[in-house]
Amino acid sequence: MKRICFVFPLLLFLTLFINSCSGPIIYKPNHIWEFKVTRTDSKIVDTLQFKTTDESWQILMKKCIWQFPIRKDTAGKVMITQTTGIMDIKVCFPLSLLFSSKIDFSPPEWEYLKYSWIIPIKIKFPITVGQTIKLNKTFGSKRPPSDEFRQLKVNGFVKVIGRKFYSNPLVNDTCWVLEASSKSKIGEFNAKYYFNEKFGFVYMFYDFKKYQVEMELIDFKKIDHTVVN
């Protein structure tokens, strides 16, 4: 009887929690964020797309897909994608008294951006200057197939340092400025992000020591599922 009395409140709590997290804050299903990407060690300008879906990913996240530029290999032209998940949780009252609404973004793990996933890129609501989220984690062997990533211990943080007006052809608005860093046996990497409360993360600057990468949001649209016969 005691076990039943314990399990029922737990199930009720989890149900309320999941229901309160049903509405994303920014990264709504079936939308595309398109980024222009430049780096200091090449003159090539790439375009990356981040697509959200209406499918679940590991219970509390939504499935999303990074689509990378076409590359040529021995088989010809190949389109590479990365399937991952994004945590975009809006926690409603009364659970908001215990849990924060938050966004945990999933950066692209691809070629010259392969180190981006060990630098935290997340934010909690309400956003305040000085807000700091720490990272202290050992990543498992299911990450990219390279010895340098297996059982990698990483310490880092992401911190809100202020606000700044950001202007490009798509975004003309004030953004929150975040600084992030990670330390591990493969090095210390740093990043800067601009977060906009309409579009989400609109600018990312990665410093991988040997080279730097800039990602700038240049397009945002809803996916059209209309089928023409």
Side-chain angles (χ1 to χ4, degrees):
M1 180 64 70
K2 290 183 178 179
R3 185 178 179 182
I4 295 176
C5 293
F6 172 77
V7 171
F8 178 75
L10 179 61
L11 291 175
L12 179 61
F13 173 80
L14 289 174
T15 301
L16 289 172
F17 180 74
I18 292 173
N19 286 339
S20 71
C21 303
S22 59
I25 303 169
I26 292 176
Y27 292 93
K28 296 176 173 58
N30 301 317
H31 285 76
I32 296 175
W33 287 256
E34 188 170 280
F35 293 88
K36 181 180 75 174
V37 186
T38 58
R39 62 188 198 268
T40 57
D41 62 341
S42 174
K43 294 182 179 180
I44 296 175
V45 177
D46 287 319
T47 300
L48 277 58
Q49 288 189 345
F50 181 76
K51 301 179 181 180
T52 55
T53 76
D54 56 4
E55 300 178 47
S56 296
W57 180 270
Q58 298 180 2
I59 303 177
L60 292 179
M61 293 190 286
K62 286 295 183 182
K63 178 180 175 181
C64 51
I65 299 170
W66 276 103
Q67 181 173 300
F68 306 120
I70 294 174
R71 291 290 194 252
K72 293 182 179 180
D73 64 8
T74 55
K77 294 182 178 179
V78 178
M79 174 69 73
I80 301 174
T81 61
Q82 171 199 341
T83 301
T84 183
I86 186 169
M87 183 172 286
D88 185 346
I89 297 178
K90 183 178 182 180
V91 183
C92 301
F93 183 84
L95 291 180
S96 58
L97 299 175
L98 301 173
F99 302 96
S100 299
S101 299
K102 63 180 180 178
I103 295 176
D104 193 341
F105 193 72
S106 296
E109 304 169 18
W110 174 73
E111 290 187 357
Y112 51 82
L113 283 161
K114 67 177 183 176
Y115 297 118
S116 65
W117 61 276
I118 62 174
I119 309 176
I121 177 169
K122 55 184 68 179
I123 199 163
K124 291 183 179 180
F125 298 84
I127 306 171
T128 56
V129 174
Q131 175 196 110
T132 303
I133 304 173
K134 294 184 179 180
L135 173 68
N136 187 353
K137 184 176 181 180
T138 299
F139 292 92
S141 60
K142 294 183 180 180
R143 304 307 300 183
S146 172
D147 288 339
E148 66 179 338
F149 291 110
R150 291 193 177 98
Q151 298 301 314
L152 184 67
K153 295 182 179 180
V154 179
N155 292 305
F157 69 89
V158 57
K159 181 178 181 179
V160 180
I161 63 170
R163 293 172 68 90
K164 179 178 181 179
F165 186 82
Y166 178 65
S167 179
N168 77 353
L170 179 66
V171 183
N172 286 279
D173 198 2
T174 301
C175 297
W176 293 95
V177 181
L178 294 80
E179 287 186 346
S181 180
S182 72
K183 294 181 180 180
S184 68
K185 66 180 182 181
I186 60 177
E188 179 178 351
F189 303 134
N190 300 297
K192 178 177 284 188
Y193 313 124
Y194 293 168
F195 178 84
N196 181 262
E197 295 184 38
K198 177 181 178 182
F199 295 106
F201 289 97
V202 298
Y203 175 83
M204 293 89 107
F205 174 83
Y206 292 101
D207 184 358
F208 298 126
K209 301 304 178 182
K210 293 183 179 180
Y211 61 94
Q212 292 75 44
V213 180
E214 281 188 312
M215 297 180 60
E216 179 184 11
L217 184 69
I218 57 173
D219 196 15
F220 169 75
K221 56 192 174 186
K222 184 176 178 60
I223 299 174
D224 186 3
H225 291 292
T226 303
V227 177
V228 179
N229 295 324

